[in-house]
Amino acid sequence: MSDALVKILDGNTFVVSDPRGDIEASSTDPTGLFSFDTRFLSKWVLTVNGERLNALSTDDLQYFETRFFLVPGTGTVYVDAKQSVIRQRAVGDGFHEELTILNHDEGPVDLTVRIEAGSDFADLFEVKDALKKKGTYYARESDSRLLLGYERETFRRETAISATAPAAIDENGLTLTAHIESQGEWTTDLDVVVSFGLAGQPVKLDRPKYGRQTKQARPNMQRSLERWIDDAPRLQSDWEPLKATYERSLVDLAALRFSPLTAGGRSLPAAGLPWFMTMFGRDSIFTSLQALPFASELAETTLRVLGERQGSRLDDFRDEDPGRILHEQRFGEMTAFEERPHSPYYGAADATPLYVVLLDEYERWTGDRKLVRDLEPEARAALRWIDEYADLMGNGYIWYQRRNEKTGLENQCWKDSWDSISYRDGRLPGFPRATCELQGYAYDAKMRGARLARLLWNDPAFADRLEKEAADLKRRFNRDYWVEDEEYYALALDTEGNQVDALSSNIGHLLWSGIVDKSKASAVARHLMGRRLFCGWGVRTLAEGEGRYNPIGYHVGTVWPFDNSFIAWGLRRYGFKDEAARIAAGILDAAQFFDGRLPEAFGGYDRALTKYPVEYPTSCSPQAWSTGAPLLLLRTMLGLEPLGDHLIVDPALPSGIGHLELLDIPGRWRRVDAFARGRVDVKKKRPRGPGAAE
């Protein structure tokens, strides 16, 4: 399944076009050339002798490169063109396009080649929200290039377009003429280079990564991708779709690597194309957790970069507190003029405890004690935030309520849409809110912080205190959030201390965090695998029958692969191996229908109703934590857990996968192999009794 758009990307620079390679963006259409949250091209249309072209096929060469095969329009249902056109495009600091026209006619031909070009320089927030621009545009020829520009006070962005063949340039594009002998070809290179500057100052146009004549990236992105793949564990299986999904996940993770300007060339995961090609605290942390057995360097960079930008003051506009981990950072016009608070914005209640969770899990996998010692101040500040700033009601729980009422996020948990938190009958609670998984993350952060304090920070008293606080939190949580009559945990508490009692997938995150009492784990697993939550493809975000349930509602009934990967991990933690395997089987089955690339979300319809998972209309793809989901599911199916300098392997593989080998798994043990055979019947309907695990 596909949305028919062609996407190539490099960090947070990406191009989205139609299957012809053309771009004709509207104010709300996420097509174009984007870089650092600005659209630098909103129009890029090729014509030959005034005719648009028809697409024959598109080669998906690499995540950063694609090739379009085209013919001029023929006016009939048959393709009998005398010429064909090849556009080979690669993204870099803008993009490079090699345009080739082949003449298949018996005689020579003279053609007029036209590139219509334009830019609205829209901020990504303007595209999402259909907002109007406030600055001024200009277009002119300069040094045989077409310069498209935009200025607003001191803010300036420019796009430079050039061709290697002689071109007549006007403010709307380039016109070239081509004389091609019979069976001959004509070629020109087109470069589109983006620049950032201040109004009134000369703009320095950087050399593109793809330069004229070289036909290769600078630096060589192909070689970088090959190294990335070579460094990852090798997967062997008799189930070919699993191999394809694994390879797609590795390539998409490579594509989503984003190098902040202060990271010294190191990369962390950007959240997803097209809306979230930047650093996200929550998303980067979750993806780094998923990828730890496969690419631990993502976690290292995520921890360092988020630590560098950790909150240091009280700032209502940015929802910033001391110790708080950022939610999102942007670089566009609306952020520059403080029309959006993302410079950075801190409105997430989960990223801060998750930061400590990732730091501990990273050390368990890699043995990198230096990083844990380097980031001790940041981890301590994050733990202080839980108690001193997140407890808005003074009752020992994490609550959230935005202080930026105009442009801040209302829901500051991972289900951040407006209607995601509700009672059974569909009513919405007031603010502040204390969703259940936040308390699980806080418990986990305190337990892991205690381990780090005792093992590496030489502070046993702090460790004792954190463990005592965690035990108290667990006791109170299992009393206050437990819905006695239905035997599951409430989605949240409201300001009166009442349970926001909808049944949701959040209860699976509680298993992952370890806050669930052993005596309650079996009931939680039974709900997760019951018909109301489990649709056959995966666990729905909200149970069927709840007041706001909608199988294609963003957080109120869809299936999120990322969500399911952590639910499966939680089930394994409490000993529900077969149930975890069943979730893994459903998600990996779904991946086949998306060519191995799991989307952000898909419909929560019962599997018996559909032969394939129903696409969610506006989901991001590729999306980082969906790309990471197969990786965490592999870890879960193989039962991979670090134990000191050793890696435990305890597989529970679905029977549909005959055998699985994951070779050269990196970690503090250097490299080890894991093997499994498919023995779990994933068609079981109910979980067995709980296997206890802390």
Side-chain angles (χ1 to χ4, degrees):
M1 294 185 287
S2 171
D3 58 9
L5 295 177
V6 181
K7 309 163 187 176
I8 54 174
L9 63 156
D10 171 35
N12 75 343
T13 299
F14 59 95
V15 185
V16 182
S17 72
D18 69 20
R20 296 172 293 191
D22 287 344
I23 297 166
E24 292 181 282
S26 68
S27 59
T28 59
D29 180 2
T31 55
L33 163 64
F34 291 85
S35 186
F36 284 89
D37 305 316
T38 296
R39 179 157 56 194
F40 282 85
L41 268 185
S42 53
K43 188 171 188 178
W44 185 257
V45 175
L46 172 64
T47 59
V48 176
N49 283 352
E51 287 188 316
R52 297 289 291 271
L53 304 175
N54 295 315
L56 297 178
S57 67
T58 303
D59 283 350
D60 183 13
L61 300 176
Q62 297 292 356
Y63 66 82
F64 51 82
E65 187 175 19
T66 193
R67 183 189 293 131
F68 306 88
F69 292 89
L70 313 162
V71 292
T74 62
T76 74
V77 295
Y78 302 105
V79 175
D80 187 23
K82 301 302 183 184
Q83 289 84 40
S84 58
V85 179
I86 303 172
R87 305 171 83 171
Q88 184 157 336
R89 179 180 298 162
V91 69
D93 300 316
F95 68 82
H96 173 90
E97 185 166 316
E98 181 181 343
L99 175 61
T100 301
I101 302 177
L102 306 174
N103 181 21
H104 311 297
D105 209 347
E106 296 175 353
V109 66
D110 291 294
L111 303 173
T112 300
V113 180
R114 173 73 177 171
I115 293 284
E116 290 281 340
S119 177
D120 58 6
F121 292 97
D123 186 293
L124 205 58
F125 285 118
E126 292 171 330
V127 179
K128 288 183 69 176
D129 301 333
L131 303 175
K132 294 183 178 180
K133 301 294 290 181
K134 297 180 180 179
T136 58
Y137 296 93
Y138 58 87
R140 62 174 180 266
E141 180 183 1
S142 176
D143 298 326
S144 300
R145 295 177 299 188
L146 172 60
L147 291 184
L148 305 173
Y150 174 81
E151 290 183 345
R152 177 182 171 192
E153 298 180 19
T154 59
F155 183 90
R156 184 177 183 180
R157 298 291 184 263
E158 245 181 27
T159 306
I161 303 166
S162 59
T164 53
I169 298 174
D170 59 70
E171 63 181 19
N172 296 313
L174 289 71
T175 302
L176 307 94
T177 57
H179 177 82
I180 315 175
E181 295 294 334
S182 175
Q183 305 304 315
E185 67 177 57
W186 173 89
T187 298
T188 187
D189 290 348
L190 301 165
D191 278 314
V192 180
V193 183
V194 304
S195 66
F196 310 80
L198 297 174
Q201 296 184 7
V203 173
K204 180 182 180 297
L205 292 168
D206 295 329
R207 288 195 311 161
K209 286 184 179 180
Y210 280 80
R212 297 175 182 175
Q213 312 306 325
T214 65
K215 309 292 178 66
Q216 275 193 322
R218 297 193 300 264
N220 192 314
M221 293 194 288
Q222 176 66 41
R223 191 170 301 165
S224 172
L225 176 60
E226 290 170 356
R227 286 197 303 269
W228 171 265
I229 299 296
D230 288 344
D231 287 344
R234 290 179 291 115
L235 185 145
Q236 298 293 330
S237 174
D238 59 352
W239 193 44
E240 290 298 321
L242 179 59
K243 294 164 64 176
T245 298
Y246 178 64
E247 291 168 5
R248 170 58 73 181
S249 287
L250 290 180
V251 170
D252 282 350
L253 266 185
L256 290 166
R257 289 176 296 176
F258 169 59
S259 297
L261 298 177
T262 59
R266 301 185 308 273
S267 301
L268 53 76
L273 187 106
W275 303 117
F276 306 116
M277 293 303 296
T278 187
M279 72 177 80
F280 267 67
R282 174 195 305 125
D283 298 53
S284 295
I285 290 171
F286 271 128
T287 306
S288 296
L289 280 166
Q290 293 169 320
L292 259 176
F294 305 87
S296 62
E297 63 268 29
L298 295 176
E300 178 186 7
T301 307
T302 295
L303 289 163
R304 288 195 181 277
V305 170
L306 294 180
E308 290 168 359
R309 292 161 175 78
Q310 188 173 33
S312 60
R313 59 182 180 172
L314 290 170
D315 182 336
D316 290 348
F317 177 65
R318 294 172 179 82
D319 279 327
E320 180 181 358
D321 305 311
R324 196 171 194 177
I325 297 299
L326 69 83
H327 171 58
E328 178 181 359
Q329 183 156 20
R330 294 290 186 174
F331 306 92
E333 177 183 349
M334 298 190 73
T335 300
F337 286 91
E338 296 196 342
E339 293 165 345
R340 290 291 187 275
H342 298 76
S343 56
Y345 178 60
Y346 291 85
D350 47 13
T352 307
L354 288 171
Y355 181 85
V356 182
V357 171
L358 177 60
L359 182 63
D360 176 70
E361 191 70 9
Y362 171 80
E363 194 280 332
R364 291 178 70 235
W365 270 93
T366 67
D368 185 353
R369 296 189 168 196
K370 181 180 184 303
L371 183 70
V372 175
R373 292 190 179 103
D374 288 347
L375 296 179
E376 178 183 350
E378 289 81 358
R380 286 179 178 266
L383 290 164
R384 280 196 303 274
W385 178 85
I386 294 172
D387 298 324
E388 296 182 13
Y389 297 98
D391 185 7
L392 301 180
M393 300 296 290
N395 61 0
Y397 293 129
I398 291 182
W399 298 77
Y400 62 80
Q401 181 174 16
R402 64 179 179 179
R403 305 200 300 273
N404 178 345
E405 291 288 344
K406 186 176 180 181
T407 54
L409 280 174
E410 277 193 336
N411 274 319
Q412 298 186 355
C413 54
W414 85 259
K415 293 178 178 176
D416 56 6
S417 55
W418 69 276
D419 62 344
S420 62
I421 309 301
S422 65
Y423 299 94
R424 289 181 190 173
D425 60 9
R427 290 178 298 118
L428 301 180
F431 292 94
R433 296 171 178 175
T435 57
C436 64
E437 81 286 353
L438 296 177
Q439 320 318 318
Y441 302 157
Y443 170 81
D444 202 13
K446 287 177 181 287
M447 292 297 292
R448 290 173 181 268
R451 174 184 172 273
L452 297 178
R454 185 170 285 115
L455 181 67
L456 295 168
W457 299 340
N458 194 29
D459 194 343
F462 185 43
D464 291 344
R465 193 190 95 197
L466 288 173
E467 287 173 345
K468 182 179 178 181
E469 292 171 354
D472 179 64
L473 173 59
K474 184 173 185 176
R475 177 187 58 80
R476 289 185 292 104
F477 176 83
N478 279 275
R479 177 195 67 203
D480 296 343
Y481 280 77
W482 186 246
V483 181
E484 194 69 40
D485 61 334
E486 297 287 345
E487 294 190 319
Y488 63 81
Y489 291 96
L491 176 53
L493 294 184
D494 64 20
T495 55
E496 303 300 318
N498 298 318
Q499 294 175 344
V500 182
D501 54 359
L503 174 60
S504 71
S505 66
N506 300 52
I507 62 176
H509 288 244
L510 300 176
L511 292 174
W512 167 58
S513 73
I515 200 172
V516 173
D517 280 343
K518 293 179 185 179
S519 61
K520 296 179 171 66
S522 181
V524 171
R526 186 171 63 252
H527 279 292
L528 287 167
M529 305 311 298
R531 290 184 61 86
R532 293 185 63 204
L533 276 174
F534 189 73
C535 73
W537 300 111
V539 177
R540 302 178 176 103
T541 43
L542 187 66
E544 187 178 36
E546 298 299 296
R548 288 191 176 269
Y549 170 73
N550 177 353
I552 51 171
Y554 196 53
H555 291 126
V556 291
T558 51
V559 173
W560 286 58
F562 126 80
D563 191 25
N564 277 262
S565 71
F566 281 91
I567 291 170
W569 197 15
L571 287 164
R572 275 304 304 245
R573 176 169 184 162
Y574 278 81
F576 296 99
K577 298 180 181 180
D578 291 5
E579 291 70 34
R582 188 175 174 210
I583 289 177
I587 294 295
L588 293 171
D589 281 348
Q592 296 181 70
F593 296 94
F594 299 101
D595 297 324
R597 173 183 282 170
L598 285 163
E600 180 181 27
F602 55 84
Y605 296 101
D606 193 282
R607 188 167 179 171
L609 295 177
T610 60
K611 294 182 179 179
Y612 47 82
V614 176
E615 287 188 274
Y616 182 77
T618 59
S619 65
C620 291
S621 181
Q623 206 243 14
W625 60 17
S626 290
T627 291
L631 305 182
L632 183 53
L633 291 173
L634 279 168
R635 173 180 176 176
T636 300
M637 291 188 297
L638 290 169
L640 304 180
E641 281 299 321
L643 183 63
D645 290 332
H646 303 280
L647 181 65
I648 302 300
V649 181
D650 181 21
L653 196 65
S655 55
I657 305 173
H659 77 270
L660 172 63
E661 302 174 12
L662 194 64
L663 308 176
D664 294 328
I665 304 167
R668 60 199 305 163
W669 42 81
R670 297 188 179 176
R671 297 267 180 171
V672 300
D673 303 334
F675 304 89
R677 291 192 177 277
R679 294 193 170 96
V680 177
D681 179 6
V682 297
K683 295 181 180 180
K684 287 181 179 290
K685 296 297 183 184
R686 297 292 179 189
R688 296 176 299 174
E694 286 290 12

